Amino acid sequence: MTTRKNGLTYVAAGVDIDAGEKLVEAIKPFAKSTARPGSDAGLGGFGALFDLKAAGFKDPLLVASTDGVGTKLKVAIEAGIHDTVGIDLVAMSVNDIVVQGAEPLLFLDYFATAKLDVAMATEVVKGIAEGCRQAGCALVGGETAEMPGMYARGDYDLAGFAIGAVERDHVLPSRDMVEGDVVLGLASTGLHSNGFSLARRIVADQSLTYDAPAPFAKNDTLGRALLVPTRIYVKSALKLIRAGLAKGFAHITGGGLTDNTPRVVPDDLDIEIDLSSWPLPGVFQWLARMGGVEEREMLRTFNCGIGMVAIVAAGHALEAQKILTAEGERVVRLGHLIKGKSEPTVRYRGHLSA
């Protein structure tokens, strides 16, 4: 055994506890700004308390979700843009919660890196707080892990955890879906947080850098255009739910319209979607063209411009569109439910168009 004259410290091993404490102090105002009934969104405790009664619930079920941002983080890191991926992190979980009829209540994050950069981490958490404000949930805590040897210098990883609640008799999807129900599409803001491994491959094959002008977006760099944050549909979806018009929602993530929409439809129904009912946004046109990506692959890899699907009764479709539009959504009528045989599938008509 070799005896060291000068004792080692945690800092010498690569972990700076003081930096972690500085980050906590820096992000406290952001967390506090997300306070809501049931939680004061304060940081510093070992666990977070939430009062469901104070939030107005009588007989609630809890709904939990966890997710990350995927390789969109690589774009953020290489582009040096860190203020939006936190919104993505929140969006991926809260959008999954609201499709079950639940209101997101609280959120926690996990941030891991090789060497903590307080300024960069503060930008990330600032984005998380903004996502929580958009979703109406409280940022009640999280974990920052400094792990030298686990990550490359400058890299970091994110995970998010959301909990919501729904009254027992209001859980979605409802069981009264029938043939003829209308399928509405809510526009996405871009790639959201899926398909980035393919998108990054196409960017690399084109020998482009993320500070180059975006070929599909004026006055934007490629990095900034790809990093447009995932839209958070919580407030508009809750508005539709509370109006009693929503039969079901599908959050369009990995697997696209093809795999996600059937998840909320009964076994005896299929979904018919007219692909010509909305224009394919420029970023997806560019990816399809530069990557030679076939339409079928586009529809299973990307959201192709539709980030959320709502299913409503035919007689309520116009009213539902008005409610969603008033909440700032761009809504298109994608199609309707039709008779199926066994497992629900999507039947496409037409083709994706410019």
Side-chain angles (χ1 to χ4, degrees), residues 180-184 261-262 265 269-275 277-278 309 333-339 345-350:
D181 282 348
V182 171
V183 180
L184 301 176
T261 312
V265 175
L269 294 171
D270 285 345
I271 309 99
E272 186 174 81
I273 291 178
D274 180 0
L275 293 176
S277 59
W278 79 97
V309 162
R333 192 176 293 215
L334 299 177
H336 56 277
L337 301 186
I338 58 176
K339 285 185 178 179
T345 60
V346 177
R347 300 188 200 178
Y348 293 118
R349 290 193 295 109

Side-chain angles (χ1 to χ4, degrees), residues 284-343:
F284 299 107
Q285 293 183 43
W286 183 79
L287 289 167
R289 186 171 62 253
M290 294 298 102
V293 185
E294 295 182 356
E295 183 176 85
R296 181 180 177 184
E297 184 72 10
M298 290 290 297
L299 289 163
R300 287 201 70 200
T301 304
F302 302 111
N303 65 61
C304 293
I306 302 297
M308 181 74 80
V309 162
I311 299 173
V312 300
H316 295 150
L318 186 58
E319 184 183 356
Q321 285 182 263
K322 288 180 178 178
I323 289 173
L324 293 169
T325 301
E327 290 298 307
E329 304 297 347
R330 288 182 291 128
V331 186
V332 295
R333 192 176 293 215
L334 299 177
H336 56 277
L337 301 186
I338 58 176
K339 285 185 178 179
K341 294 182 179 179
S342 53
E343 292 186 2

Side-chain angles (χ1 to χ4, degrees), residues 107-126:
F107 190 85
L108 300 98
D109 68 276
Y110 175 79
F111 179 99
T113 187
K115 180 68 177 175
L116 184 59
D117 180 327
V118 174
M120 181 183 72
T122 300
E123 285 294 293
V124 173
V125 178
K126 184 178 178 182

Side-chain angles (χ1 to χ4, degrees), residues 139-151:
L139 176 58
V140 295
E143 175 68 12
T144 302
E146 196 172 26
M147 298 191 287
M150 182 67 73
Y151 297 95

Side-chain angles (χ1 to χ4, degrees), residues 190-191 194-196 198-203 206 216 222 226 280-294 298 301-302:
L191 273 66
N194 298 101
F196 271 86
L198 177 55
R200 288 171 46 245
R201 171 66 181 272
I202 293 169
V203 169
Q206 296 299 309
F216 50 84
L222 180 58
L226 290 174
L280 186 66
V283 59
F284 299 107
Q285 293 183 43
W286 183 79
L287 289 167
R289 186 171 62 253
M290 294 298 102
V293 185
E294 295 182 356
M298 290 290 297
T301 304
F302 302 111

Side-chain angles (χ1 to χ4, degrees), residues 131-218:
C132 287
R133 286 192 294 271
Q134 290 182 25
C137 64
L139 176 58
V140 295
E143 175 68 12
T144 302
E146 196 172 26
M147 298 191 287
M150 182 67 73
Y151 297 95
R153 186 91 176 188
D155 279 353
Y156 62 90
D157 199 7
L158 289 175
F161 312 87
I163 296 177
V166 57
E167 296 292 359
R168 190 178 301 272
D169 55 354
H170 290 160
V171 175
L172 293 178
S174 65
R175 298 182 179 181
D176 61 345
M177 292 185 192
V178 296
E179 181 183 8
D181 282 348
V182 171
V183 180
L184 301 176
L186 282 62
S188 69
T189 49
L191 273 66
H192 285 184
S193 298
N194 298 101
F196 271 86
S197 292
L198 177 55
R200 288 171 46 245
R201 171 66 181 272
I202 293 169
V203 169
D205 286 350
Q206 296 299 309
S207 300
L208 291 171
T209 58
Y210 292 115
D211 59 357
F216 50 84
K218 291 182 179 179

Side-chain angles (χ1 to χ4, degrees), residues 213-214 217-221 224:
K218 291 182 179 179
N219 304 318
D220 251 339
T221 63
R224 183 62 77 178

